[in-house]
Amino acid sequence: MKKPVLAVLGATGVVGRNILKILEENNVAYEDIKFLASKKSAGSSIEFKGKSYTVIEAIPEAFEGINIVLASAGGSTSLALAHEAVKRGAVYIDNSSAFRMEKDVPLVIAGVNDDDIKTHNGIIANPNCSTSQLMLALKPLHDFAEIKRMVVSTYQSVSGAGLAAINELRENTIAVNENRPFENVKFKKPIAYNCIPQIDDFCDNGYTKEEMKVTNETRKILHLKPDTPISCTAVRVPVFIGHSEAVTVEFEKELSPEKARELLENAWGVKVIDDIKNYDYPTAVMAAGTNPVYVGRIRKDIAFDNAISFWCVADNLRIGAALNTVRIAEKVIEFQAF
């Protein structure tokens, strides 16, 4: 099997550094590796697998000789550089929202729709973080009973908004504890001891862009009908790492809680923790730093026919970003699709 030359774009960011960790953890085979970032970060050093590398400025020429780019540098950067990388022969795996809904760009969760990778034209999109964890839980249930409609509420940690958001939660909390005034910058409302029912900008329909990402990306990844009813409410919560989701799904076929639990217990990438008699269910704190999507509170929903409700949590920096990016790269290597 041919070993690729890899590049990590946005290597100095929060997700970029997690990509490095997971590349090492998974022992991904490569011929050579480069680390790319903005002009501001170029020239700095990165330690990886016991070696020191100099960060290279992300300009078109930097992609010469690269086979696979693991990119987490924001939408504007991807719009500027993705096609430049592809022109030079690279497969560009993008963490931003820039290409997710493009018809000719596969939107992939490894272990859910791997075959879509084979249709790429140089760019493969990594879904939104809250969509990512949800897909691993939904896939086995959908395969068995077919999704009819879904309502999901997400409770998303501040790390999904980057390092500045992590710092704002910490500093805002200290200020509140010390009874000092604090001016929030990253969020529209104070995040300490608070829940903010807005992630991203509002659309004309009253939903936020984040909420519409979950709706549209779910349809695309699972190849649902374009009019499949899906509604999402996305909430930012004062948690550092780990997104939580309350999910209700109505199915075309009957699906008991017992069968749903069995399907999820046997699903790849999913771990069921569901023993309410002993108050055993997953939380964001326990998910941080780990790879599975944890599912609990599996029960028959009493508002809809043939419906199941459940709770799922995951480390958003891993499954929602870095881990899936690496897993897609591993699939590209497995399929020799570069």
Side-chain angles (χ1 to χ4, degrees):
M1 182 180 289
K2 179 184 175 184
K3 294 181 181 178
V5 177
L6 304 178
V8 180
L9 174 59
T12 58
V14 174
V15 175
R17 291 189 180 277
N18 273 276
I19 288 174
L20 268 60
K21 288 180 186 177
I22 295 166
L23 283 171
E24 185 167 3
E25 288 172 8
N26 288 18
N27 196 28
V28 176
Y30 56 86
E31 185 68 31
D32 195 8
I33 189 166
K34 294 182 180 180
F35 302 102
L36 312 179
S38 66
K39 186 176 182 178
K40 180 181 176 181
S41 297
S44 60
S45 295
I46 279 184
E47 296 294 324
F48 180 67
K49 298 182 76 169
K51 293 178 62 177
S52 181
Y53 294 82
T54 299
V55 176
I56 301 167
E57 182 180 356
I59 58 175
E61 292 73 22
F63 297 100
E64 295 288 352
I66 300 298
N67 299 123
I68 301 174
V69 180
L70 297 87
S72 185
S76 59
T77 299
S78 284
L79 287 170
L81 293 176
H83 291 292
E84 294 291 340
V86 172
K87 277 197 306 186
R88 290 165 172 80
V91 177
Y92 191 97
I93 303 170
D94 186 33
N95 260 298
S96 81
S97 61
F99 303 103
R100 288 174 184 158
M101 299 314 297
E102 296 290 331
K103 287 185 178 180
D104 63 343
V105 175
L107 184 64
V108 175
I109 293 291
V112 173
N113 59 329
D114 294 343
D115 283 347
D116 288 356
I117 291 171
K118 299 173 184 177
T119 68
H120 79 77
N121 290 315
I123 300 173
I124 302 170
N126 190 14
N128 180 48
C129 52
S130 48
T131 309
S132 297
Q133 70 186 68
L134 183 57
M135 293 305 98
L136 284 166
L138 284 181
K139 172 66 172 174
L141 306 181
H142 174 61
D143 285 349
F144 181 84
E146 191 178 345
I147 293 170
K148 182 177 181 180
R149 74 184 75 201
M150 180 176 73
V151 178
V152 54
S153 296
T154 70
Y155 306 91
Q156 297 180 218
S157 66
V158 296
S159 57
L163 183 59
I166 294 172
N167 292 336
E168 185 158 315
L169 171 58
R170 182 179 292 110
E171 292 161 8
N172 191 181
T173 303
I174 293 171
V176 171
N177 290 344
E178 296 178 352
N179 199 28
R180 291 189 288 103
F182 182 84
E183 183 179 354
N184 46 286
V185 175
K186 188 68 179 179
F187 301 111
K188 300 295 184 185
K189 304 286 184 180
I191 186 62
Y193 303 104
N194 201 15
C195 296
I196 304 172
Q198 178 191 356
I199 300 177
D200 212 328
D201 297 328
F202 286 101
C203 305
D204 291 341
N205 63 0
Y207 285 78
T208 64
K209 289 181 179 178
E210 179 78 8
E211 292 159 351
M212 294 311 300
K213 287 175 188 176
V214 173
T215 296
N216 295 325
E217 291 175 15
T218 297
R219 290 172 179 153
K220 183 173 181 178
I221 294 165
L222 294 178
H223 301 286
L224 303 179
K225 298 173 184 176
D227 60 350
T228 301
I230 298 174
S231 179
C232 176
T233 300
V235 183
R236 188 72 72 188
V237 295
V239 172
F240 284 114
I241 297 174
H243 288 357
S244 304
E245 298 175 343
V247 188
T248 295
V249 191
E250 185 178 15
F251 296 94
E252 296 287 356
K253 302 174 185 176
E254 185 176 352
L255 176 63
S256 68
E258 293 75 22
K259 183 62 179 180
R261 191 172 291 109
E262 176 191 333
L263 291 167
L264 289 165
E265 284 175 342
N266 290 301
W268 182 84
V270 175
K271 183 175 178 60
V272 174
I273 301 176
D274 193 19
D275 182 5
I276 57 175
K277 290 182 179 179
N278 292 302
Y279 311 105
D280 202 8
Y281 39 75
T283 64
V285 170
M286 64 162 289
T290 69
N291 289 344
V293 173
Y294 298 90
V295 181
R297 297 291 317 279
I298 303 165
R299 61 203 186 276
K300 179 175 176 57
D301 187 81
I302 59 176
F304 299 102
D305 295 331
N306 294 335
I308 294 293
S309 290
F310 62 88
W311 174 257
C312 74
V313 302
D315 183 323
N316 55 291
L317 297 177
R318 283 182 165 254
I319 186 58
L323 179 61
N324 193 52
T325 300
V326 174
R327 284 174 171 172
I328 292 172
E330 289 175 315
K331 288 294 180 181
V332 170
I333 296 167
E334 178 186 334
F335 297 153
Q336 290 288 285
F338 61 89

